[in-house]
Each structure stands twice: as C-alpha cells, then as structure tokens.
Amino acid sequence: MRIGIDRMAFATTNDYLDLVELAKERGVDPNKFTIGIGQDLQAVVPPTQDIVALGATAAKKLLTPELEKNISTVIVATESGIDNSKASAIYIKHLLGLSDFTRTVEMKEACYSATAAIQFAKGVVALNPQETVLVIAADIARYGLNTPGEVTQGAGAVAMLVSRNPHILTLEDTTVAYSKDIMDFWRPLYATEALVDGKYSTNVYIEFFLQTFTRYQQLTGRELADFAALTFHMPFTKMGKKGLEGLLKDRNDKVAQQLRTQLTASQLFSRQVGNLYTGSLYLSLMSLLQNSDLRAGSRIGLFSYGSGAEGEFYTGILEDGYEHYMNNIQEELKHRRQVSVAEYEKLFSSQLGMNDRDIEFDVTNDPLPFVLKGQKDHQRIYEAK
C-alpha cells in the first residue's frame, strides 16, 4: 500500500517586512541579510494571528466536505504552543468544523516535530487505510527586536493530508532518526523569545545531516545520483546551502550541479517569508515543487532538524499530477502588505504573549478567515470570519 502526502497548503500573515529596510534601520549592510543569511522578506505577525489562526487558515485551503469525512486525526506540530495543557489541535478542529469523533494532539521537539507527526500519521493510515490524518506545522519564530536572531524571524503554517494513494509524495520505508541532548537552541517556560547559540547550532545541523544521510546510504546502498533533489529545514535559506555543501564539498559534476539548482528552487518561498520552525522543511518542499520541473517518479530526500537536538532523513517518490494538489504560494504572496520598520516593531510588541489580562483586539482589518479576537477570563477567543 502506498502512503504519503496527498495534499499540501501554506498560509502566512498578510503583512511583511523588507529586510533591506530593517538592515538600514539597524545600521547593517543589507548584504549581510540578503546574501549572508539568504533572506529578503519576513512575515510580520499582527496580534490577531497565532498558530491556531494560521494553522486553521492553511488547512481550510486544502479541505473539502468529501475529504473531511475521512479525517480521523489532527496533529499540530509546533514550538509556539498557546497553552501548557490544551492542544492547539482542538481549537483548530473546532474552527474547521470537523467531526467530534476526531483524535487531536499537539507535538513538540523544536523544528523537527512535523516530521515525527508525518511518520506517526503514516502508521495510523497503515493500520486503518480508510483514514486520513491532517498534519499541521504552525509556528511564529521570535527572537526579539534588535537581537542577532531578528533577521531569522517569520511565521506561517503548512497543512498536509497523509493518506493512502497520495497525490503528491509517496513515502518510502527507510528513515533515519538521530538525536542527542544538546543546548544549541531552547526557550524556557518563562520566555517568549528563544535562546540560541547560532554558530554552534549551524555546526550541529550539518553534523546531524551528514550522520543521517550517511546512515541512510548504508541501509539502502543509494547514491546521490538516485536523488532528483534534496530538501532541507531552512530557518534561513543559507542553512540549507550549508547542509548541501557539507555533503557535496568540491564536487561539481552533473549530479552536484542538479542538486544545487534544485536547492535554489526550494529556497525561493522561504526567502520571502522567513523562519517557520516546524514548517520550514515543508515550505521548502512546496517551493521546490512549484519552482522546478521535476517529473513523476523522481526521488526527493528530506532532511528535518530540530534543535536540542533531533534530525531525520527520509525520502519520497513524486506522483504524477502533484502540482494540482497545492495552493499557488507565489500568487498569494503577491497580495501581502508591506509594513515599515516602525509598524513592524509596534506589531511585534502587541502580541498576546504571556499576558494574563482580558484583552480584545480589533480584527476589522485582518483579511485571514480565522482570527484571534483576544482573551477573556484566561481563555483565548477565536472567530471564523
């Protein structure tokens, strides 16, 4: 039985910041951001959006009444949780109007957990072939104003349906997971922004990729020539390049050139949105599929990484007609609104965060179909517009 990713959809906020403008405001050479980090634009989050609103928005784009009937499970992968107890998946299930006979859970392991969710979903479908699992990777990456990590912020959600006879990517059986207790990035319970050792984290990322890919080769006997493309978790797009070049080194043959070309295709959307944490790998996959000429039957490698740290390398085979089962991301990104640095800073400081007070947001100008209206009696209030 073939099991894999049947449909994919992406959603982000309506506002974005030009990182050239941010560089000028911060007194930094813009090339440090656009070339050194590999980022051009960054999603800006209004207080009316969080992982629930973004996750529900992404899922709404791929669901139909017929598809909804088969969803048995909703898994939300995030490191931007809104409650230490209640799963964000329950809120999203309610906003989408899914059946109450639905399993709803939330998963966490930094940026990695969406991959674990997909593997768990594959197991559910293997046991119950008539069922479909909705996997949502939703996050808001925050490092603080005027911090070294400010340029690697972002927000968005990728929603995926995992089922038998998938229309996008059939998952192959061999996967390699690798984990170690490492403090390269973390966010204590009392903090709204993450703590990170950037250079160390980059080195760990490369090490984990090489470890998992090498182990995969040992298990399968496959070579680089067996892959049409490799996709990477991209908290910033230069990270994916570092991973690939760590593998290719000085190699410059036809296979290496193809992998570099496809990497560029996979970076395009992340350059315009920023860091999605759990969704970054899957946005890069969508970018690859919508900006390249890959054919059905192509093997794609996926490297997932989450600080702390865990990595996994796995593969999928591209299905015929895959392009018809995703939303057109580039077209949607054209309709966003650019904000000034001053407005970005105001919106950044207006998030609900760990506020325990009653608050009501003005949702009038938020164009997304789901919004966070505020908080009352310590309960978040959402609205389907």
Side-chain angles (χ1 to χ4, degrees):
M1 179 172 56
R2 296 186 298 107
I3 302 174
I5 300 174
D6 183 62
R7 283 166 170 77
M8 302 182 78
F10 170 70
T12 188
T13 63
N14 190 57
D15 299 336
Y16 74 89
L17 175 67
D18 188 325
L19 294 181
V20 170
E21 297 302 315
L22 179 65
K24 292 176 180 178
E25 183 69 24
R26 300 292 186 251
V28 175
D29 180 355
N31 288 335
K32 182 176 180 180
F33 292 172
T34 60
I35 299 176
I37 299 295
Q39 297 300 127
D40 297 321
L41 309 176
Q42 184 178 105
V44 174
V45 187
T48 49
Q49 289 297 317
D50 65 2
I51 60 165
V52 168
L54 290 168
T57 297
K60 181 180 174 66
K61 294 180 181 183
L62 55 72
L63 291 180
T64 66
E66 192 62 31
L67 290 172
E68 291 174 6
K69 294 177 183 178
N70 297 324
I71 294 176
S72 68
T73 304
V74 178
I75 307 175
V76 174
T78 186
E79 56 179 283
S80 310
I82 59 168
D83 190 282
N84 286 328
S85 176
K86 187 173 180 179
S88 53
I90 293 180
Y91 292 99
I92 292 176
K93 186 223 82 171
H94 173 73
L95 288 171
L96 294 174
L98 298 178
S99 167
D100 286 345
F101 293 100
T102 303
R103 181 185 298 111
T104 53
V105 292
E106 180 175 312
M107 298 180 62
K108 179 180 69 177
E109 205 317 279
C111 302
Y112 161 77
S113 59
T115 297
I118 287 175
Q119 300 297 349
F120 295 166
K122 183 180 177 182
V124 170
V125 176
L127 290 172
N128 304 282
Q130 75 282 5
E131 296 183 5
T132 296
V133 179
L134 173 59
V135 174
I136 299 172
D139 266 304
I140 296 172
R142 288 173 61 96
Y143 294 97
L145 303 176
N146 261 308
T147 63
E150 184 177 28
V151 70
T152 61
Q153 298 179 137
V158 176
M160 298 168 278
L161 293 181
V162 176
S163 71
R164 65 177 176 176
N165 302 324
H167 287 98
I168 296 179
L169 197 70
T170 293
L171 301 180
E172 296 189 288
D173 289 338
T174 303
T175 71
V176 178
Y178 185 78
S179 61
K180 285 185 175 182
D181 186 359
I182 290 173
M183 299 300 288
D184 61 328
F185 170 107
W186 68 102
R187 181 166 68 85
L189 289 175
Y190 53 78
T192 56
E193 282 81 48
L195 303 173
V196 60
D197 185 338
K199 291 184 178 180
Y200 179 47
S201 188
T202 297
N203 291 335
V204 174
Y205 172 102
I206 296 170
E207 176 200 346
F208 275 44
F209 169 57
L210 296 178
Q211 289 279 6
T212 55
F213 186 78
T214 299
R215 177 64 172 163
Y216 174 87
Q217 288 185 301
Q218 292 170 347
L219 293 173
T220 63
R222 292 183 180 129
E223 302 294 336
L224 277 177
D226 294 314
F227 294 89
L230 297 177
T231 54
F232 293 83
H233 165 58
M234 293 184 190
F236 54 92
T237 64
K238 195 67 172 289
M239 185 77 99
K241 178 177 174 61
K242 288 177 181 291
L244 182 60
E245 294 304 328
L247 177 66
L248 297 179
K249 301 186 186 305
D250 296 328
R251 185 170 169 173
N252 200 32
D253 55 29
K254 185 177 180 180
V255 170
Q257 291 174 8
Q258 175 182 312
L259 292 175
R260 290 186 176 106
T261 297
Q262 302 297 13
L263 175 70
T264 299
S266 73
Q267 293 172 321
L268 294 178
F269 293 156
S270 293
R271 291 189 71 99
Q272 301 176 63
V273 177
N275 193 352
L276 301 189
Y277 285 159
T278 52
S280 292
L281 169 60
Y282 299 98
L283 180 60
S284 71
L285 174 61
M286 294 183 75
S287 184
L288 170 71
L289 298 184
Q290 295 188 18
N291 294 290
S292 67
D293 56 356
L294 292 177
R295 298 179 180 179
S298 297
R299 175 176 289 109
I300 298 173
L302 300 95
F303 174 62
S304 180
Y305 177 77
S307 294
E310 185 156 3
E312 183 164 344
F313 183 83
Y314 70 109
T315 59
I317 303 297
L318 204 55
E319 294 294 328
D320 187 37
Y322 65 86
E323 65 273 13
H324 302 300
Y325 296 90
M326 298 175 284
N327 64 311
N328 187 327
I329 295 177
Q330 188 58 61
E331 184 60 32
E332 292 183 7
L333 292 178
K334 292 179 182 177
H335 302 288
R336 294 183 297 170
R337 180 181 72 102
Q338 182 176 349
V339 300
S340 66
V341 175
E343 187 173 1
Y344 143 71
E345 292 178 338
K346 180 179 179 181
L347 291 171
F348 185 92
S349 301
S350 300
Q351 298 294 303
L352 183 57
M354 294 185 177
N355 197 329
D356 64 354
R357 294 181 288 109
D358 289 353
I359 188 168
E360 183 174 354
F361 297 128
D362 181 1
V363 300
T364 307
N365 296 321
D366 192 322
L368 270 63
F370 302 103
V371 292
L372 172 63
K373 291 190 65 176
Q375 179 174 269
K376 186 174 183 180
D377 297 329
H378 307 285
Q379 300 176 37
R380 289 191 176 220
I381 302 170
Y382 295 95
E383 178 181 291
K385 298 181 71 176

